[in-house]
Amino acid sequence: MDWPKRGHTLSNFKWRTDCAETGVNVDSMAELRLNNILSFQECYTDSGSHCYGCGSLNAEGLQIKSYWDGDETICTFEPAPYHTAFPGIVYGGLIASVIDCHGTGSAAAAKMRADGQALEKGAAPKFVTAALHVDYLKPTPLGPLHLRGVIVEIKGRKVTVDVTLQADGVTTAKGRVIAVEIPGEKLA
Protein backbone atom coordinates (compact mmCIF):
# COMPACT_ATOMS: atom_id res chain seq x y z
CA MET A 1 0.00 0.00 0.00
CA ASP A 2 1.30 3.49 -0.83
CA TRP A 3 1.06 5.84 2.14
CA PRO A 4 1.00 9.61 1.72
CA LYS A 5 4.29 11.30 2.62
CA ARG A 6 2.64 13.66 5.11
CA GLY A 7 -0.80 13.70 6.66
CA HIS A 8 -1.47 17.40 7.16
CA THR A 9 -4.18 19.31 5.38
CA LEU A 10 -5.21 22.93 5.30
CA SER A 11 -8.51 22.59 3.49
CA ASN A 12 -10.85 20.63 5.76
CA PHE A 13 -11.21 22.99 8.72
CA LYS A 14 -13.98 25.58 8.35
CA TRP A 15 -14.03 28.60 10.64
CA ARG A 16 -13.96 32.37 10.40
CA THR A 17 -11.30 34.58 11.87
CA ASP A 18 -9.98 38.07 11.60
CA CYS A 19 -6.23 38.11 11.41
CA ALA A 20 -5.41 41.29 13.31
CA GLU A 21 -1.85 41.37 12.01
CA THR A 22 -3.00 41.47 8.37
CA GLY A 23 -6.63 42.56 8.41
CA VAL A 24 -7.50 39.57 6.18
CA ASN A 25 -10.77 37.75 6.80
CA VAL A 26 -10.59 34.05 6.00
CA ASP A 27 -13.05 31.16 5.99
CA SER A 28 -10.66 28.20 5.88
CA MET A 29 -7.11 27.10 6.52
CA ALA A 30 -6.57 27.07 2.73
CA GLU A 31 -7.41 30.78 2.56
CA LEU A 32 -4.69 31.49 5.12
CA ARG A 33 -2.19 29.95 2.70
CA LEU A 34 -3.68 31.75 -0.31
CA ASN A 35 -3.43 35.09 1.54
CA ASN A 36 0.21 34.35 2.43
CA ILE A 37 -0.46 34.43 6.17
CA LEU A 38 2.49 32.82 7.89
CA SER A 39 1.97 30.02 10.34
CA PHE A 40 3.83 30.32 13.63
CA GLN A 41 6.17 27.55 12.51
CA GLU A 42 7.08 29.44 9.33
CA CYS A 43 8.44 32.20 11.60
CA TYR A 44 11.09 29.88 13.10
CA THR A 45 14.72 30.30 12.15
CA ASP A 46 16.20 27.55 10.00
CA SER A 47 18.06 26.16 13.03
CA GLY A 48 14.72 25.83 14.83
CA SER A 49 12.88 24.18 11.92
CA HIS A 50 13.97 20.53 12.24
CA CYS A 51 11.39 19.24 14.75
CA TYR A 52 9.61 16.06 13.66
CA GLY A 53 6.20 17.50 14.56
CA CYS A 54 6.44 21.07 13.31
CA GLY A 55 9.73 21.64 11.53
CA SER A 56 9.32 22.90 7.99
CA LEU A 57 12.80 21.59 7.14
CA ASN A 58 12.02 18.03 8.28
CA ALA A 59 10.85 16.39 5.06
CA GLU A 60 9.76 13.23 6.91
CA GLY A 61 7.96 15.12 9.71
CA LEU A 62 4.37 16.12 10.33
CA GLN A 63 4.93 19.81 9.51
CA ILE A 64 1.90 21.09 11.45
CA LYS A 65 0.89 24.71 10.96
CA SER A 66 -0.63 26.90 13.69
CA TYR A 67 -2.36 30.27 13.41
CA TRP A 68 -4.07 32.93 15.53
CA ASP A 69 -7.85 32.92 15.82
CA GLY A 70 -8.44 36.03 17.91
CA ASP A 71 -6.68 35.39 21.23
CA GLU A 72 -6.64 31.61 20.71
CA THR A 73 -4.58 29.46 18.37
CA ILE A 74 -5.74 26.88 15.84
CA CYS A 75 -4.27 24.03 13.86
CA THR A 76 -5.71 21.31 11.66
CA PHE A 77 -3.81 18.10 11.04
CA GLU A 78 -5.02 15.06 9.15
CA PRO A 79 -3.24 11.88 10.20
CA ALA A 80 -2.29 9.36 7.55
CA PRO A 81 -3.61 5.79 7.67
CA TYR A 82 -0.31 4.63 9.21
CA HIS A 83 -0.75 6.96 12.23
CA THR A 84 -2.95 4.39 13.94
CA ALA A 85 -2.89 2.28 17.10
CA PHE A 86 -5.84 0.18 15.94
CA PRO A 87 -7.68 0.28 12.63
CA GLY A 88 -9.29 3.71 12.29
CA ILE A 89 -8.00 4.98 15.67
CA VAL A 90 -5.15 7.52 15.92
CA TYR A 91 -2.02 6.48 17.81
CA GLY A 92 -1.74 8.26 21.19
CA GLY A 93 1.87 9.29 20.59
CA LEU A 94 0.83 11.25 17.51
CA ILE A 95 -1.86 13.01 19.54
CA ALA A 96 0.75 13.98 22.14
CA SER A 97 3.11 15.16 19.39
CA VAL A 98 0.60 17.48 17.69
CA ILE A 99 -0.56 18.88 21.06
CA ASP A 100 3.09 19.46 22.03
CA CYS A 101 4.08 21.14 18.77
CA HIS A 102 0.93 23.26 18.59
CA GLY A 103 1.57 24.30 22.20
CA THR A 104 5.20 25.30 21.66
CA GLY A 105 4.33 27.13 18.43
CA SER A 106 1.53 28.93 20.28
CA ALA A 107 3.99 29.83 23.05
CA ALA A 108 6.41 31.40 20.55
CA ALA A 109 3.61 33.38 18.88
CA ALA A 110 2.21 34.50 22.25
CA LYS A 111 5.63 35.72 23.35
CA MET A 112 6.05 37.60 20.08
CA ARG A 113 2.61 39.18 20.46
CA ALA A 114 3.30 40.12 24.10
CA ASP A 115 6.59 41.71 23.04
CA GLY A 116 4.91 43.64 20.20
CA GLN A 117 6.69 41.64 17.46
CA ALA A 118 5.05 40.89 14.11
CA LEU A 119 4.94 37.36 12.72
CA GLU A 120 7.70 37.19 10.14
CA LYS A 121 10.12 34.59 8.83
CA GLY A 122 13.00 33.97 11.22
CA ALA A 123 11.62 36.22 14.00
CA ALA A 124 10.12 33.61 16.35
CA PRO A 125 11.88 32.91 19.63
CA LYS A 126 12.93 29.29 20.21
CA PHE A 127 10.81 27.34 22.69
CA VAL A 128 11.22 23.81 24.01
CA THR A 129 8.84 21.69 26.04
CA ALA A 130 9.45 21.82 29.78
CA ALA A 131 6.32 19.78 30.59
CA LEU A 132 3.61 18.05 28.62
CA HIS A 133 0.47 16.57 30.12
CA VAL A 134 -2.14 14.89 27.94
CA ASP A 135 -5.52 13.51 29.00
CA TYR A 136 -6.93 11.03 26.49
CA LEU A 137 -10.70 11.36 26.85
CA LYS A 138 -11.98 9.13 24.04
CA PRO A 139 -10.53 7.16 21.13
CA THR A 140 -9.62 9.57 18.33
CA PRO A 141 -10.85 8.45 14.90
CA LEU A 142 -8.82 8.99 11.74
CA GLY A 143 -9.77 12.16 9.93
CA PRO A 144 -9.03 15.85 10.40
CA LEU A 145 -7.89 16.73 13.92
CA HIS A 146 -8.69 20.26 15.05
CA LEU A 147 -6.57 21.80 17.78
CA ARG A 148 -7.34 24.96 19.71
CA GLY A 149 -4.86 26.54 22.09
CA VAL A 150 -5.48 28.99 24.92
CA ILE A 151 -2.57 30.96 26.34
CA VAL A 152 -2.85 30.50 30.10
CA GLU A 153 0.22 32.40 31.28
CA ILE A 154 3.31 34.19 30.05
CA LYS A 155 5.84 34.54 32.84
CA GLY A 156 9.36 35.51 31.86
CA ARG A 157 10.73 32.79 29.57
CA LYS A 158 7.88 30.37 30.43
CA VAL A 159 4.57 30.15 28.56
CA THR A 160 1.72 27.80 29.53
CA VAL A 161 -0.75 26.74 26.84
CA ASP A 162 -3.87 24.58 27.17
CA VAL A 163 -4.72 22.66 24.00
CA THR A 164 -7.96 20.89 23.10
CA LEU A 165 -8.04 18.32 20.29
CA GLN A 166 -11.29 17.48 18.49
CA ALA A 167 -12.19 14.89 15.87
CA ASP A 168 -15.61 14.79 14.24
CA GLY A 169 -16.70 17.65 16.53
CA VAL A 170 -15.93 15.64 19.69
CA THR A 171 -13.18 16.54 22.16
CA THR A 172 -10.99 13.44 22.38
CA ALA A 173 -7.90 14.81 24.14
CA LYS A 174 -6.78 17.79 26.18
CA GLY A 175 -3.26 18.83 26.97
CA ARG A 176 -1.21 21.37 28.84
CA VAL A 177 2.14 22.45 27.45
CA ILE A 178 4.65 24.39 29.50
CA ALA A 179 7.18 25.79 27.07
CA VAL A 180 10.40 27.60 27.91
CA GLU A 181 12.21 30.06 25.68
CA ILE A 182 15.80 29.14 24.88
CA PRO A 183 18.23 32.01 24.30
CA GLY A 184 19.19 32.21 20.62
CA GLU A 185 22.84 31.44 21.13
CA LYS A 186 22.00 28.12 22.86
CA LEU A 187 20.49 26.53 19.72
CA ALA A 188 22.35 28.36 16.95
Side-chain angles (χ1 to χ4, degrees):
M1 175 178 244
D2 290 330
W3 299 109
K5 193 87 165 156
R6 291 186 200 95
H8 70 285
T9 180
L10 294 171
S11 60
N12 294 331
F13 188 31
K14 297 296 182 192
W15 45 269
R16 181 152 200 81
T17 185
D18 293 322
C19 296
E21 290 84 2
T22 62
V24 175
N25 293 324
V26 295
D27 290 313
S28 69
M29 296 293 270
E31 280 190 73
L32 287 169
R33 308 301 298 155
L34 291 173
N35 285 293
N36 294 317
I37 296 176
L38 292 177
S39 71
F40 305 157
Q41 293 82 4
E42 291 170 302
C43 297
Y44 295 166
T45 61
D46 284 351
S47 66
S49 296
H50 296 278
C51 173
Y52 176 76
C54 59
S56 61
L57 297 180
N58 188 331
E60 301 300 321
L62 305 175
Q63 297 190 3
I64 72 161
K65 304 284 185 249
S66 305
Y67 302 89
W68 284 114
D69 182 18
D71 288 334
E72 297 182 345
T73 62
I74 54 171
C75 171
T76 293
F77 177 82
E78 188 161 352
Y82 55 82
H83 290 135
T84 57
F86 301 100
I89 303 298
V90 178
Y91 161 63
L94 179 87
I95 291 167
S97 182
V98 296
I99 287 173
D100 180 27
C101 286
H102 181 64
T104 55
S106 297
K111 181 74 164 134
M112 291 176 72
R113 186 179 264 189
D115 291 346
Q117 281 186 277
L119 290 174
E120 56 188 47
K121 178 73 176 143
K126 297 173 185 176
F127 275 81
V128 295
T129 307
L132 171 64
H133 177 87
V134 178
D135 290 319
Y136 299 92
L137 307 174
K138 296 181 178 196
T140 301
L142 275 176
L145 306 179
H146 307 293
L147 294 95
R148 182 166 290 276
V150 174
I151 309 305
V152 175
E153 178 182 54
I154 301 173
K155 189 172 185 178
R157 296 184 315 122
K158 181 178 86 170
V159 178
T160 303
V161 182
D162 284 345
V163 179
T164 301
L165 183 143
Q166 291 191 339
D168 291 334
V170 175
T171 299
T172 61
K174 291 183 178 183
R176 174 164 277 195
V177 178
I178 299 174
V180 176
E181 184 178 3
I182 301 298
E185 67 275 4
K186 297 286 186 188
L187 293 175

